[in-house]
Amino acid sequence: MALRLYDTASRAVRDFVPLVEGRVGVYVCGLTVQSEPHVGHVRSAVNFDVLRRWLTRQGYAVSFIRNVTDIDDKILTKAAEQDRPWFNLAYDMKRELDRAYDALHVLPPTYEPAATGHVPEMLELIALLVDRGHAYAAEDGSGDVYFDVRSWPSYGELTRQSVEDMEAAGDADPRGKRDPRDFALWKGRKDSEPLTASWPSPWGRGRPGWHVECSAMAGKYLGEAFDIHGGGVDLRFPHHENEQAQSRAAGHGFASYWMHNAWITTSGEKMSKSLGNSLLVPAVLERVRGIELRYYMVAAHYRSTVEFSFEALEEAASAFRRVEGFLDRVDAEPGELPAAFVEAMDDDLGTPAAVAVLHDAVREGNRLHDAGDADGAREAAGRVLAMLDVLGLSPRDPHWATGSGDEGLRDVVDALVRGLLDQRAHARADKDFAAADAIRDQIKAAGVEIEDTAQGPRWSVG
RNA sequence: GGUGGGUUGGCCGAGAGGCGAGGCAACGGACUGCAAAUCCGUGAACACGGGUUCGAAUCCCGUACCCACCUCCA
């Protein structure tokens, strides 16, 4: 059974066939670094990180490109409001984003191109579009260059919209557009904008429009035609539609498959910077660990809207701790992936079904462990670890280790707790259960859980 | 107005014509001095109204409500 993916363009699950056997090129729209990342942003990154890990696991050589948009209207506006250089704002937010990705164990991409580093590539593409008659310099002398939507008959094909049915773009300033739906490839510099936010071009100083950067950078790093293009659903239109139009109008094959992840909502509404209902990643990570937040995201299908709540998040954390508890009991090396897991993942990254297989293996392993079948339990643990690796959720992964100082501290705690446990053992031997329970309560009050096993008591920080 | 998605048990969240996903919570049982952890079991849901079918949560028609995109947005 081969991998099948839902392709937004054809609105169907299709067999995945790469352009070049054994290789996959993936381009994912990253963020505009204008403010701190919220959990929704990170969901997108986690979803595509799972895709990337699965492709890799299936033996593909994956080229994974995720861009950063570090120049745009919002960045300029916000930076001006905060009275600091736009590049400082973008850079700071980029670092915040990196921290959030790291906290969720989103692997670094093959390369992470930034828009400002690719102006020459964009200008080249724009010139090509002008030559081919699909773009024109604004007639009002603003220095803008627009894509001519009417010159490209298949415009709208990605989202199945016809130009006629679109609401006339409420674009505040139609400036020199021939059609209100034409979009900017290049924006002439306005006097109000800092000189540092402009680059020389054949049409005068200016800065790139939003959509060209992705076409130019995908072309540069993945080639004129590549396999998968991803992003959030809101990017379908206009961003992805425009990307595809300008790339294909330039004669490029562009993406074979389009993948879009759904929202994390709060109170039924999309989480968004503009709505101000964002849950920032650091705030959420005060409640649960990064690995637990990642589990929460992976347990839902990437195309399903997730209604965020701390209750659901805590539930997910409990579920995940069950998995961890099993691995604490049974030591093993990663083993084979169960067929049902592979099947689930091959079916458009069916992580919910895959997670169900994971829980089945945990229950099976616990059962065997209880029954004294050490080999069987170890084998189950091997399957569990293999599955967790694919999902980026393996507690054994050094990435999740909590800092270097902890090991020494753990030994200290262990010595102290052992002393108390010895006292408790004596009390229990004397059937002085009141004293024994008092010790257990005392340990628990310090945040340490006690578990009596056949091999004696174990402690863990709950 | 156009386009896309949704409504599933106490909760989260899958599935997509027959075969009770999984998790969390609850309850009962096993284990335990009592717990904790673990295991076993219980609880049989699919917005509403029609229709197709031997059989529908799943297909068709209609209705209601919700969300998203068409403007910057994961």
Side-chain angles (χ1 to χ4, degrees), chain A residues 57-125:
Chain A
R57 170 79 193 206
Q58 295 304 81
Y60 289 109
V62 183
S63 215
F64 190 89
I65 305 297
R66 185 185 59 218
N67 74 298
V68 170
T69 301
D70 56 351
I71 178 74
D72 91 318
D73 294 357
K74 278 259 169 74
I75 293 174
L76 292 177
T77 310
K78 286 204 171 186
E81 281 167 12
Q82 296 169 19
D83 194 25
R84 58 166 160 165
W86 62 273
F87 45 84
N88 176 52
L89 171 66
Y91 182 58
D92 269 4
M93 292 305 118
K94 166 72 171 66
R95 284 163 58 222
E96 288 292 329
L97 184 60
D98 286 342
R99 267 192 281 276
Y101 284 155
D102 194 55
L104 276 289
H105 199 5
V106 172
L107 296 171
T110 306
Y111 187 55
E112 189 171 36
T116 52
H118 297 76
V119 173
E121 287 83 353
M122 293 188 238
L123 289 172
E124 206 173 348
L125 179 62

Side-chain angles (χ1 to χ4, degrees), chain A residues 166 219 297 376 388:
Chain A
M166 289 176 198
M297 292 173 172
L388 290 172

Side-chain angles (χ1 to χ4, degrees), chain A residues 101-158:
Chain A
Y101 284 155
D102 194 55
L104 276 289
H105 199 5
V106 172
L107 296 171
T110 306
Y111 187 55
E112 189 171 36
T116 52
H118 297 76
V119 173
E121 287 83 353
M122 293 188 238
L123 289 172
E124 206 173 348
L125 179 62
I126 295 170
L128 180 59
L129 287 168
V130 171
D131 282 351
R132 292 184 143 230
H134 294 298
Y136 60 92
E139 282 131 26
D140 63 356
S142 58
D144 289 357
V145 181
Y146 297 112
F147 182 86
D148 186 350
V149 163
R150 299 274 175 184
S151 77
W152 189 244
S154 47
Y155 186 74
E157 67 178 342
L158 179 64

Side-chain angles (χ1 to χ4, degrees), chain A residues 234-364:
Chain A
D234 57 336
L235 298 180
R236 281 178 310 189
F237 194 93
H239 189 231
H240 288 340
E241 188 72 68
N242 292 353
E243 270 185 55
Q244 184 172 80
Q246 70 205 171
S247 287
R248 294 211 168 141
H252 301 170
F254 213 52
S256 307
Y257 298 82
W258 287 92
M259 293 177 71
H260 296 279
N261 67 276
W263 302 125
I264 289 186
T265 58
T266 44
S267 321
E269 281 189 315
K270 166 185 174 182
M271 196 175 289
S272 119
K273 297 168 194 169
S274 354
L275 290 176
N277 58 352
S278 305
L279 275 156
L280 301 183
V281 175
V284 174
L285 290 179
E286 281 174 17
R287 301 279 288 268
V288 297
R289 294 172 295 150
I291 198 169
E292 291 166 342
L293 178 57
R294 182 172 172 114
Y295 173 87
Y296 176 63
M297 292 173 172
V298 167
H301 189 87
Y302 77 91
R303 286 194 284 124
S304 293
T305 304
V306 170
E307 167 66 16
F308 184 92
S309 73
F310 281 106
E311 291 72 23
L313 184 61
E314 298 286 356
E315 274 185 18
S318 300
F320 187 71
R321 281 187 218 115
R322 209 173 142 267
V323 177
E324 287 181 304
F326 169 58
L327 293 176
D328 283 344
R329 273 183 288 280
V330 183
D331 197 21
E333 289 301 309
E336 296 289 305
L337 289 174
F341 180 89
V342 173
E343 203 177 307
M345 291 301 287
D346 271 347
D347 185 11
D348 193 29
L349 303 181
T351 53
V355 167
V357 176
L358 173 74
H359 283 289
D360 286 343
V362 168
R363 194 183 323 102
E364 171 75 359

